Every structure is written in structure tokens, then in C-alpha cells.
Amino acid sequence: MSYPDRNYLYYRYYYRKLITIAFIQCILVATLLGITLFLLLHAPSPQYFATTSDGRVVPILSPKTSE
């Protein structure tokens, strides 16, 4: 009866390895999700500028505000 016992130990050993790998992957996914959410919530506002048809930047004058 040594064959079933060896088979049982073989599967138990690799099951523990797979559980460890799955746990590490869960930690990695949670870390990447946190980084992604942080970057989405703290994204800089877009900056707009005008260009001519040949690619030169045209200065945008701000409108006068009434005081």
C-alpha cells in the first residue's frame, strides 16, 4: 500500500505550493489595484494649448474679467 500513500503526499506537497503561489498573486493583484486607483484619483488636469497647422504653439490670451 505504499503507492497510494506516496501519491497522497505528492498531491499534498504541490497543493501547498499552489496555495502559496495563489496567495502571493492575490497580494500582487491587490497592490496593483491600489496603485491603479491612486493614479486614477490623483491624475493631473489636462492642459490645453492651440497650435497652427504646421505645429507651432499659439499663445492663448485669457479674456478680460469684469471687476
Side-chain angles (χ1 to χ4, degrees):
M1 267 211 202
S2 68
Y3 179 71
D5 292 337
R6 284 189 299 159
N7 202 13
Y8 170 74
L9 293 175
Y10 172 79
Y11 286 118
R12 184 174 68 174
Y13 173 74
Y14 282 104
Y15 176 77
R16 287 180 180 170
K17 269 189 140 176
L18 287 174
I19 291 298
T20 304
I21 291 170
F23 181 70
I24 291 170
Q25 286 178 341
C26 287
I27 292 173
L28 182 64
V29 166
T31 303
L32 291 174
L33 181 64
I35 291 170
T36 302
L37 288 175
F38 177 80
L39 291 175
L40 283 175
L41 294 175
H42 295 89
S45 60
Q47 297 179 356
Y48 300 103
F49 55 91
T51 60
T52 61
S53 60
D54 60 353
R56 291 181 292 166
V57 177
V58 177
I60 299 176
L61 303 175
S62 61
K64 293 183 179 179
T65 57
S66 59
E67 293 182 26

